[in-house]
Amino acid sequence: MTEPEDMEDGALRERLGALREEPAELGFQASLHRRLVAAGPPEPAPGWDRVRGLFRRRAPWLWPVAGAAAGIAAFLMMSAVQQPPTPAPEVAEASRPLEVPGTQVPVSKVAVIKLDFTADVAVEQADFQVSLPEGLSFWADGQELELRSFRWTQALNAGSNVIPIAVRGQKPGRYLVTAEARTGNQRIEHDVVLEVTEG
């Protein structure tokens, strides 16, 4: 190294050394400490930091209150989302009839009676008959049929065989619909109680 470079290097070292030492007359560190203590803790920034600061300072009572508020909000949301009750169906259904005293259907509606014939084994051919009392009529394709009794033949599968029959009441009252199935020497009967009401 040359002499001028050594001199510059020495001057630089002196300046750096002076920066490390705190000037005693200014008391910079002590005055900064006093100002920071007087100012107190900084205000949290807007947004999430403010919420975090609030929870940190008020934690003993804020967490239970927040939990209760969340529970109430969930309850209110579930109450608002709950489905309204569905209106009465256009078609009344009756199945396994004598288990209930009677299925109600207004005069203005068509009732679909579901007859369930159960067979242990498949049957190639069974004879069916459904008879209606006076005051009820069979209903098909939006029209009343003049028949009081209806007969047909069909096969039965092993297990449950549901056969729907559409009927409509002409006047209010309680009616007994009889249905039967015959195969060989076996006879299965169904009696359906249908109550026709005003409306």
Side-chain angles (χ1 to χ4, degrees), residues 1-123:
M1 273 194 184
T2 62
E3 198 172 314
E5 287 176 349
D6 285 340
M7 285 176 57
E8 281 180 28
D9 194 31
L12 182 62
R13 281 191 189 129
E14 268 183 51
R15 276 192 232 138
L16 287 174
L19 286 176
R20 285 188 199 133
E21 296 173 10
E22 183 181 317
E25 68 276 0
L26 295 178
F28 177 74
Q29 186 174 5
S31 69
L32 177 62
H33 179 71
R34 280 192 300 273
R35 282 187 290 164
L36 287 175
V37 168
E43 284 294 318
W48 187 243
D49 288 341
R50 187 177 297 267
V51 173
R52 255 190 304 194
L54 183 67
F55 271 96
R56 211 174 292 125
R57 286 191 303 273
R58 311 242 194 282
W61 62 269
L62 202 53
W63 281 112
V65 169
I72 291 169
F75 174 75
L76 292 175
M77 276 178 73
M78 294 299 284
S79 298
V81 171
Q82 187 179 18
Q83 298 269 342
T86 54
E90 290 282 324
V91 175
E93 298 176 335
S95 178
R96 301 195 187 272
L98 292 178
E99 293 174 6
V100 292
T103 299
Q104 292 186 348
V105 64
V107 172
S108 60
K109 307 291 182 196
V110 174
V112 176
I113 300 171
K114 291 185 177 180
L115 304 170
D116 189 359
F117 292 98
T118 306
D120 293 333
V121 294
V123 176

Side-chain angles (χ1 to χ4, degrees), residues 136-156:
L136 291 182
S137 55
F138 290 107
W139 200 262
D141 298 324
Q143 295 182 22
E144 180 182 333
L145 304 178
E146 294 182 14
L147 302 168
R148 297 257 60 78
S149 185
F150 187 66
R151 292 176 187 246
W152 74 98
T153 302
Q154 76 175 54
L156 284 175

